[in-house]
């Protein structure tokens, strides 16, 4: 490929603002956290509602302590 046909600069690939799937509950400013689960626990987490359910449980439990 000749040098003139190569893309030389930003604009292809990499992290982009607003890219990717959105949270089902509308949560914003989220971060990905890795958790080790058995396949059975992974299936149960998914059946319970995944990250939406987990955020609700964390909020509920934290509010009990305050």
């Amino acid at each position: 490929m000749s040098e003139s046909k190569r893309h030389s600069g930003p604009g292809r690939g990499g992290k982009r603002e607003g890219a990717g799937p959105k949270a089902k509950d509308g949560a914003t400013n989220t971060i990905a956290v890795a958790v080790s689960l058995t396949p059975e626990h992974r299936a149960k987490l998914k059946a319970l509602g995944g990250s939406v359910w987990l955020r609700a449980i964390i909020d509920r439990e934290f509010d009990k302590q305050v």
Side-chain angles (χ1 to χ4, degrees):
M1 180 179 272
S2 69
E3 191 64 36
S4 63
K5 291 188 178 185
R6 289 187 190 167
H7 184 46
S8 60
R12 295 190 73 125
K15 184 176 164 181
R16 294 177 320 280
E17 185 70 30
K22 308 301 179 246
K24 290 180 181 177
D25 61 351
T28 58
N29 197 27
T30 61
I31 58 169
V33 177
V35 178
S36 296
L37 299 173
T38 64
E40 293 80 16
H41 283 139
R42 182 177 185 260
K44 289 176 183 180
L45 176 61
K46 185 175 182 179
L48 287 166
S51 59
V52 173
W53 175 82
L54 184 57
R55 281 193 290 273
I57 295 300
I58 291 171
D59 288 342
R60 184 188 76 197
E61 293 301 315
F62 186 82
D63 290 345
K64 285 182 184 178
Q65 297 174 9
V66 175

